[in-house]
Amino acid sequence: MRVIKTDIPDIKVIEPQVFGDERGFFLETFRTDWFKNNCANVDFVQDNHSKSRQGILRGLHYQTVKPQGKLVRVVSGEVFDVTVDMRKDSPTYGRWFGVMLSAENKRLLWVPAGFAHGFYVVSETAEFVYKCTNYYHPESEISVKYDDPTLNIAWPLVNGEKPSLSGKDEAALAFVDAPTF
């Protein structure tokens, strides 16, 4: 595995080594010792798996009481994955980073606690899996508007159409109104 640095130093793109031939492939997606030495000294407590259809946007989410770090990857399809730094005292506060994650490129993204996170499905469907450093705490979950003009995120919307959002994401907060860390 190798780490690809990003413009936000705490965000890491991880490219696994893939061994394959005409029969298929094998790759290691996670190893505790490697991750702690190369990304973050954290422990994961929960794994999640979601499936979404094209045009669905989930996020931008984070938890204020029990913040979660997330190690995310796509096992089917392709998404545009985005993180936003919500740490008020950070030199990268309010900056976003986006990357295409797909079953084909097999990349993972490390999103530390203190960041909002979301993804947009660009393929017909996508299955998204992620490890979390804390348990889901719905009472403290915050959603920030995906199209907030302060953030100006360049979402690759299919045919330029408005994405499909949950009720929670339709009622999301403006970035300037969202709690920080």
Side-chain angles (χ1 to χ4, degrees):
M1 288 189 272
R2 88 179 168 101
V3 174
I4 300 168
K5 294 182 180 179
T6 70
D7 293 341
I8 301 174
D10 294 330
I11 300 295
K12 311 272 193 245
V13 175
I14 302 164
E15 198 167 67
Q17 187 173 10
V18 180
F19 303 92
D21 57 27
E22 69 281 348
R23 299 169 300 150
F25 68 87
F26 170 84
L27 68 127
E28 190 174 87
T29 61
F30 179 76
R31 204 170 88 202
T32 298
D33 60 344
W34 183 92
F35 190 83
K36 287 186 177 195
N37 288 328
N38 292 278
C39 294
N41 188 13
V42 297
D43 293 312
F44 293 99
V45 299
Q46 180 177 325
D47 283 5
N48 299 321
H49 186 147
S50 71
K51 182 176 181 178
S52 303
R53 63 178 165 71
Q54 185 178 62
I56 289 180
L57 193 148
R58 298 189 185 275
L60 301 158
H61 303 148
Y62 64 102
Q63 295 178 180
T64 55
V65 174
K66 296 183 178 188
Q68 293 178 311
K70 297 175 181 176
L71 180 61
V72 305
R73 69 187 184 101
V74 172
V75 296
S76 173
E78 182 175 35
V79 307
F80 183 65
D81 200 277
V82 172
T83 64
V84 177
D85 193 343
M86 301 302 295
R87 303 168 301 168
K88 187 72 169 169
D89 295 329
S90 168
T92 57
Y93 171 69
R95 286 185 39 205
W96 65 273
F97 172 78
V99 64
M100 287 292 198
L101 299 178
S102 69
E104 187 175 314
N105 71 25
K106 297 174 181 41
R107 289 180 168 176
L108 295 90
L109 180 68
W110 165 239
V111 181
F115 284 77
H117 173 257
F119 64 92
Y120 174 74
V121 180
V122 297
S123 55
E124 187 176 323
T125 63
E127 291 193 45
F128 190 84
V129 296
Y130 54 108
K131 303 177 99 41
C132 300
T133 61
N134 216 330
Y135 298 107
Y136 179 56
H137 190 257
E139 299 83 7
S140 73
E141 186 175 41
I142 302 293
S143 184
V144 175
K145 289 184 177 295
Y146 81 94
D147 60 352
D148 187 283
T150 303
L151 299 174
N152 198 28
I153 297 170
W155 297 98
L157 302 178
V158 175
N159 300 322
E161 295 176 5
K162 183 179 187 273
S164 177
L165 304 172
S166 68
K168 169 179 60 179
D169 293 337
E170 286 281 357
L173 298 174
F175 174 75
V176 297
D177 298 327
T180 60
F181 290 94

